[in-house]
Amino acid sequence: MHKLNGSFSTGYALLTGLMLIALAPASSAQESKEPDIVPAGETKTPKTRVLELGAKLLQSNSPLKRFDIYLVGFHPMKDSPEDQMEAHHYCHQVNEDFAQCALFDGNTADANLNGIEYIISEKLFASLPEEEKKYWHPHNGEILSGQLIAPGIPNMAEKSLMKGKMNSYGKTWHVWDTGHEGKLGTTLPLGEPMLGWSFSRDGEAIPGLVEKRDKKLKIDTSEVRKQREDLKQYAKPQSGVDDLKGKFSRPTRDIPGVIDQGNARSLPHTTE
C-alpha cells in the first residue's frame, strides 16, 4: 500500500512561505472571473451603504478571515452530470484532516455565494458510515488531470498543496444554480440543493468548459497535468470514481492512477 507523503498542513506551510518570497508574481498571475448572474432586487440605497460602512468599522468578521486558500475546479451534479459549473473555492484548513470551503461563481467582489464544500482526508472518509459515503466525491481525478488549481501561487507551492490533498474527499452542496455550462442560472436561489460531484475520467467535462476557464485565468491545464504526473505514485483507489461512469453521451477515457475502490481487487498487487 502506498504511504501518503505530506499532509494538508505541510502543503499549506510551504505554500505560505513561498508566497511570502514570491508575493509580487503571485499577485499578478491571478485573473478575474466575473459572475454571470446578477441577483434580483433593487440597487442599494445610500442608507444601506452607510450601515454597511458602519458595520465594517465596528463589527468583526473573524470567521471569514481564515478562509485563505483559493481553489478553482469544476462540479458536475451527481444526479444530472451534464449540468456542470466552474467552482471557485475559498477554504479554511481547520486541522490536518478537515477543511471547509465557501463556493462562489466567480472571484470578484460581485461573485455570488452558491454553495459549500467540506474536504476530509482518506482517514476520516474511512470512518464514515457506508450510507454517508455516497455523498462524498473523490479528488484524485481532479488533481491528476490538472483541473483543480490554486491560481496565482508559485508552481512548487501549488504542487505541494495538491499533494497534500491526494486521496481526499469532498462533500459539496450547491444551493443556488447561478448557471451551468451553456445554461443561464436563476436570479434567486430556488429549489432543492444539488449534490456536486467530480470528474474522474477524461471526456466527462463538456467540451470547452475547461478551456474557457483556462483562457480566463491564463493557465494551461494540460501543462499542469504534466507537472503533476509524479503525484500518481501517491494515488490510492477511491470510492465514487465510477459513480458517473457511462452517464455521458460522449466517449470517456481513464485517467492513469484514478481507480475505483470496487475495481482495486482485480489489480495486480504491488509493493514499494
Side-chain angles (χ1 to χ4, degrees):
M1 180 177 290
H2 294 300
K3 180 179 177 60
L4 179 61
N5 296 325
S7 65
F8 291 178
S9 294
T10 302
Y12 184 60
L14 178 59
L15 164 66
T16 303
L18 289 175
M19 285 182 69
L20 292 174
I21 296 172
L23 182 59
S27 298
S28 62
Q30 184 172 310
E31 300 296 326
S32 296
K33 196 283 179 184
E34 297 285 350
D36 296 322
I37 286 291
V38 177
E42 297 294 332
T43 303
K44 292 181 184 179
T45 65
K47 178 181 178 181
T48 297
R49 295 184 184 278
V50 170
L51 289 172
E52 287 178 336
L53 179 59
K56 184 176 181 180
L57 293 173
L58 299 175
Q59 293 184 317
S60 169
N61 64 345
S62 296
L64 299 177
K65 290 179 179 178
R66 302 184 73 181
F67 283 72
D68 48 11
I69 302 174
Y70 173 43
L71 305 170
V72 183
F74 305 96
H75 291 155
M77 301 303 104
K78 189 174 186 182
D79 292 336
S80 54
E82 293 290 4
D83 291 329
Q84 305 174 5
M85 65 178 68
E86 184 178 313
H88 296 257
H89 308 56
Y90 290 86
C91 304
H92 166 48
Q93 194 67 51
V94 178
N95 58 41
E96 289 283 332
D97 298 290
F98 179 72
Q100 50 192 8
C101 308
L103 303 181
F104 291 82
D105 59 359
N107 60 7
T108 66
D110 294 326
N112 298 302
L113 175 68
N114 61 5
I116 56 171
E117 178 167 353
Y118 299 104
I119 299 174
I120 59 175
S121 66
E122 59 173 329
K123 180 178 73 174
L124 290 187
F125 179 80
S127 71
L128 298 177
E130 287 301 315
E131 180 65 18
E132 171 65 20
K133 291 180 179 179
K134 67 182 181 182
Y135 298 110
W136 295 81
H137 62 263
H139 282 150
N140 285 353
E142 295 185 271
I143 295 171
L144 294 179
S145 68
Q147 291 179 358
L148 182 64
I149 60 169
I153 64 174
N155 291 340
M156 186 181 300
E158 186 194 44
K159 188 171 182 179
S160 178
L161 181 64
M162 295 301 165
K163 180 181 176 182
K165 287 188 167 24
M166 287 294 296
N167 304 306
S168 65
Y169 291 85
K171 184 177 185 178
T172 297
W173 290 104
H174 281 279
V175 294
W176 183 2
D177 179 7
T178 55
H180 293 96
E181 180 63 13
K183 301 177 183 179
L184 192 63
T186 61
T187 57
L188 287 174
L190 307 175
E192 297 182 354
M194 302 171 289
L195 180 63
W197 211 247
S198 56
F199 295 132
S200 292
R201 286 178 171 79
D202 290 327
E204 291 183 341
I206 293 173
L209 176 66
V210 178
E211 292 80 3
K212 186 167 71 173
R213 188 278 306 269
D214 287 4
K215 183 177 181 180
K216 284 181 296 193
L217 299 185
K218 297 183 179 179
I219 66 163
D220 184 346
T221 292
S222 62
E223 185 59 33
V224 174
R225 180 172 183 159
K226 291 177 184 177
Q227 295 172 1
R228 296 181 185 173
E229 284 184 353
D230 59 330
L231 295 183
K232 184 174 66 174
Q233 64 184 303
Y234 306 114
K236 301 177 184 178
Q238 288 198 287
S239 173
V241 168
D242 283 352
D243 282 21
L244 299 186
K245 186 176 181 180
K247 296 187 178 182
F248 300 90
S249 58
R250 53 194 169 273
T252 62
R253 303 175 305 281
D254 291 346
I255 298 172
V258 181
I259 302 168
D260 193 275
Q261 281 183 346
N263 299 327
R265 295 178 182 177
S266 62
L267 299 175
H269 177 70
T270 60
T271 59
E272 291 191 350

